[in-house]
Amino acid sequence: METKTVKYINVNGKLMDLSHPQVMGILNVTPDSFYAGSRQQTEKDIINRTSQIIEEGASIIDIGAYSSRPNAEHISPEEEMRRLRTGLEIINRYHPGCVVSVDTFRADVAQMCVEEYGVAIINDIAAGEMDPQMFGMIARLGVPYIIMHMQGTPQNMQMNPHYDNLLKEVFLYFSEKVQKLRDLGVKDIILDPGFGFGKTVEHNYQLMNHLEEFSLFELPLLVGISRKSMIYKLLGGTPKDALNGTTVLDTISLLKGADILRVHDVKAAVETVKIVQKMKDSAAF
């Protein structure tokens, strides 16, 4: 078996070892995210969801206040900040010290979250495309930065996604982004292929089939396929029915080099990580 490159990210001054894959639990403080089970808006619901994520074994909480599902409503920075303040205040009050990632594409929102609430990671679905100030802000804040590949915006990304050469275009996209970030002094960069963002079902499975090739970047790889349409459009049903499909694709992702799983169902993902690690550690694998 090939030896995997050891990867670390600096999280609030401590190194997080990604040689053992980490699980990131999703907390959406939105009224319209694609999976109804992820939407938490009342204080009680946010407390319960945050506690569940931690108790089930996730090492990172990813909080989002802007729904990025196809055709989602575009909200103002002020509304995004208001929602995030509510969620972050609750997290800090009930679970101080936990590692929090914020899902935002806006530089001013990222600044507020890091400087006022001690957020450890910024997760940007647009990789700086939707806010030209984001790269400079990340360099100034000095936090790990997740860059995702997306063709278009949440409002139009699924209208007619097209690629002449999917892998080549995604890899070129990341190589250019990584170089710009390195030039600015950003050290901790995490790649997210962007399953479901400006991609057909066929595009998504083509990416999955070549996932191990992302190792050429020698950077941590995040995979977020939890309950997405690439599962239920293929098998039938709705996001509610897509847990088994999610577990299968999470397993494949881990075997192909994923370092972080971003999921709705933390317990299932943690168990999947344990099983895959045992497989990799066994002499028979």
Side-chain angles (χ1 to χ4, degrees), residues 44-256:
K44 180 180 178 182
D45 287 344
I46 294 171
I47 292 169
N48 289 343
R49 176 57 178 162
T50 304
S51 298
Q52 179 188 30
I53 290 172
I54 294 170
E55 290 166 6
E56 291 186 353
S59 52
I60 306 168
I61 297 173
D62 189 56
I63 181 171
Y66 183 106
S67 176
S68 55
R69 64 175 175 80
N71 302 311
E73 178 187 0
H74 183 76
I75 64 170
S76 68
E78 292 75 22
E79 176 61 16
E80 185 181 4
M81 286 185 186
R82 184 193 67 77
R83 294 176 182 179
L84 284 170
R85 287 183 187 278
T86 299
L88 292 170
E89 285 172 2
I90 291 170
I91 293 172
N92 284 351
R93 188 186 323 141
Y94 289 91
H95 298 285
C98 67
V99 177
V100 178
S101 164
V102 165
D103 185 345
T104 186
F105 57 82
R106 290 169 166 147
D108 54 352
V109 175
Q111 180 180 18
M112 179 272 288
C113 293
V114 174
E115 294 183 350
E116 297 183 26
Y117 294 95
V119 162
I121 301 167
I122 296 299
N123 181 8
D124 182 2
I125 62 168
E129 290 288 323
M130 294 176 69
D131 187 342
Q133 305 303 315
M134 181 62 100
F135 277 20
M137 180 60 69
I138 293 297
R140 190 170 73 77
L141 295 172
V143 295
Y145 184 42
I146 302 167
I147 56 173
M148 191 189 80
H149 177 272
M150 174 172 62
Q151 188 180 84
T153 69
Q155 288 71 38
N156 63 28
M157 63 185 182
Q158 292 304 110
M159 289 182 179
N160 186 30
H162 171 78
Y163 301 87
D164 293 324
N165 186 315
L166 175 65
L167 267 294
K168 181 178 179 180
E169 290 175 47
V170 172
F171 279 33
L172 180 60
Y173 179 93
F174 278 135
S175 63
E176 291 175 348
K177 296 289 184 183
V178 169
Q179 187 59 58
K180 289 178 181 178
L181 289 164
R182 292 293 193 215
D183 290 345
L184 290 169
V186 178
K187 295 181 174 60
D188 294 301
I189 305 168
I190 301 162
L191 306 183
D192 177 352
F195 290 101
F197 286 80
K199 299 170 184 74
T200 64
V201 171
E202 290 76 13
H203 291 146
N204 288 320
Y205 283 102
Q206 186 179 352
L207 274 180
M208 180 64 69
N209 193 40
H210 292 273
L211 198 63
E212 68 277 8
E213 296 178 32
F214 283 84
S215 63
L216 68 86
F217 289 98
E218 298 186 344
L219 291 171
L221 182 67
L222 180 148
V223 170
I225 45 80
S226 183
R227 296 183 179 268
K228 286 188 174 179
S229 63
M230 64 183 287
I231 300 168
Y232 64 82
K233 283 185 177 179
L234 185 69
L235 301 177
T238 68
K240 185 179 179 181
D241 309 309
L243 176 56
N244 286 344
T246 296
T247 300
V248 170
L249 291 183
D250 279 344
T251 302
I252 294 171
S253 299
L254 292 167
L255 292 171
K256 286 176 168 283

Side-chain angles (χ1 to χ4, degrees), residues 16-55:
M16 179 179 284
D17 182 1
L18 300 180
S19 61
H20 182 88
Q22 304 295 316
V23 174
M24 171 186 280
I26 298 169
L27 168 62
N28 285 322
V29 288
T30 60
D32 57 344
S33 294
F34 82 91
Y35 176 48
S38 74
R39 305 169 195 160
Q40 314 295 336
Q41 291 184 277
T42 69
E43 180 171 347
K44 180 180 178 182
D45 287 344
I46 294 171
I47 292 169
N48 289 343
R49 176 57 178 162
T50 304
S51 298
Q52 179 188 30
I53 290 172
I54 294 170
E55 290 166 6

